[in-house]
Amino acid sequence: MTVISAPYEYTEEDLYVDLRSTYGHSLFLKCEGFNFAGSIKLKVARAMVQAAERDGLLAPDTVLVESSSGNLGVALAMVAASKGYRFVCVTDYRCNLAARRMMEALGSQVHVITEPTAEGGLLGARIDHVRALCAADSRYFWLNQYANPNSWLAHYHATAPAIAEAFPELDVLFIGAGTTGTLMGCARYFKQRQQHGHRPVRIVAVDTVGSVTFGGEPGRRMIPGLGTSVRPALLDESYVDEVLHVAEADTVRTCHRLARAGFLFGGSTGTVVSAATDWLARHDTPGLTAVAISPDLGERYLDTVYHCTWTRDLYGDQPEAVGAGSLSTSRTGS
């Protein structure tokens, strides 16, 4: 029996879904959506706030502020409510309405940015707004998930060791790239573990078409979670073996295929699974052990990824038919 007194005390580390029956390749999907914040971002929110408290950076009247596309905002709203802090989330119009309503239900304020900057896009505009809030009121404290080392340390100390313990014969790990906190934490862990004599694990980063994270051309991105319009400060490509880019129409197609099998996952999961299953089909190696990380579940995407009008307006009448040729790959690191 598990008994907790604060919502951030519980995260699920041991739940995996084997997608062989759906895709014909054994791919173990680590499900990170089963906690009170509903996503992997609860680990990051908890780690950043607790580190700031340890460093004496927070006071009773501190107002936490962060830029988020949704999931981290929900997680921080939950942690802030539990600890008695005020929280302001700066997001943009792509943030799912369900996520915005959850933050507000938890007592947080949500500022929605509608106009991008010329160079930094919507993310740049969000960060500019955060900086303006902090400059105007000394009570505001920016946790800065984009450069805060606790963002990747949370996964170095929790997510990656859990995967290593569950799959000692792991060959390849697929990780979505947003702020790259999950990517960097897991990649660092497995690369450093290899230096101490453990088997090598191929780290495959998954990004979305239109993201500039790995030097791609900027483009329209409507599904929150993965991808950036500003290169993440946390990213160190030397830890990454390969990068895959997935078109959003393929993300939708994959989410719908998983839903037809009874699994309702979020957009980021659809992107990662799309890339991973394509990679496995091209590397048909018997006995290969592959794991992918699923950041969240699909309830927050019912008005977007799972809404026929939304998907038809953006991706055409049959996004499930889109697939061939929309995945690009590049190699980084060794």
Side-chain angles (χ1 to χ4, degrees):
M1 180 174 66
T2 301
V3 178
I4 64 172
S5 57
Y8 53 83
E9 292 176 351
Y10 175 78
T11 56
E12 173 59 60
E13 292 288 2
D14 298 322
L15 178 61
Y16 295 82
V17 174
D18 186 352
L19 296 178
R20 181 186 292 275
S21 62
T22 303
Y23 285 95
H25 299 280
S26 183
L27 174 65
F28 295 97
L29 192 60
K30 188 179 193 304
C31 300
E32 293 278 354
F34 291 95
N35 58 58
F36 284 94
S39 82
I40 196 170
K41 289 293 189 178
L42 180 58
K43 297 176 183 177
V44 177
R46 179 182 59 196
M48 292 195 301
V49 172
Q50 289 179 341
E53 290 177 328
R54 287 195 304 268
D55 294 340
L57 300 175
L58 306 184
D61 64 343
T62 292
V63 181
L64 302 176
V65 60
E66 184 59 277
S67 160
S68 169
S69 61
N71 280 340
L72 181 64
V74 172
L76 281 171
M78 185 167 291
V79 173
S82 179
K83 288 179 170 287
Y85 298 113
R86 290 173 56 198
F87 171 59
V88 175
C89 179
V90 180
T91 189
D92 60 64
Y93 61 81
R94 297 170 301 183
C95 177
N96 294 323
L97 180 60
R100 288 166 53 185
R101 286 178 171 170
M102 287 182 70
M103 287 185 271
E104 291 169 345
L106 290 163
S108 298
Q109 295 182 24
V110 181
H111 295 187
V112 180
I113 302 300
T114 59
E115 295 296 329
T117 63
E119 297 296 327
L122 286 166
L123 176 57
R126 280 160 37 186
I127 292 174
D128 286 347
H129 186 76
V130 169
R131 288 175 172 150
L133 289 174
C134 293
D137 192 331
S138 61
R139 294 175 301 168
Y140 281 76
F141 180 81
W142 183 21
L143 292 158
N144 193 2
Q145 63 164 324
Y146 309 103
N148 192 323
N150 294 288
S151 178
W152 67 263
L153 282 167
H155 302 292
Y156 182 92
H157 291 302
T159 309
I163 295 172
E165 181 178 0
F167 296 92
E169 302 299 315
L170 180 64
D171 293 300
V172 57
L173 178 61
F174 299 92
I175 312 168
T179 63
T180 68
T182 307
L183 173 64
M184 286 294 95
C186 292
R188 277 190 167 92
Y189 178 87
F190 281 104
K191 294 304 182 184
Q192 291 173 10
R193 197 168 181 263
Q194 180 180 341
Q195 294 173 1
H196 290 88
H198 291 273
R199 65 187 288 117
V201 174
R202 186 166 188 81
I203 301 298
V204 180
V206 180
D207 200 5
T208 184
V209 171
S211 167
V212 306
T213 298
F214 296 95
E217 289 296 320
R220 183 189 71 172
R221 293 178 294 108
M222 297 303 295
I223 301 174
L226 300 186
T228 61
S229 54
V230 178
R231 181 181 170 87
L234 296 174
L235 178 62
D236 183 343
E237 293 187 53
S238 68
Y239 289 97
V240 179
D241 297 304
E242 191 172 352
V243 178
L244 303 177
H245 286 85
V246 176
E248 287 193 332
D250 275 349
T251 295
V252 173
R253 174 183 57 83
T254 302
C255 285
H256 288 187
R257 183 171 180 178
L258 289 168
R260 288 196 295 270
F263 293 106
L264 197 70
F265 285 110
S268 298
T269 300
T271 303
V272 174
V273 171
S274 177
T277 53
D278 180 271
W279 190 96
L280 291 169
R282 290 185 286 107
H283 299 76
D284 190 10
T285 304
L288 190 75
T289 300
V291 170
I293 297 176
S294 167
D296 62 1
L297 300 177
E299 292 92 336
R300 294 173 193 173
Y301 301 82
L302 293 178
D303 292 331
T304 54
V305 170
Y306 295 103
H307 194 287
C308 60
T309 301
W310 190 89
T311 57
R312 183 175 61 246
D313 289 347
L314 289 173
Y315 310 112
D317 289 334
Q318 293 181 312
E320 66 277 7
V322 180
S326 63
L327 181 71
S328 62
T329 178
S330 61
R331 188 179 303 276
T332 69
S334 57

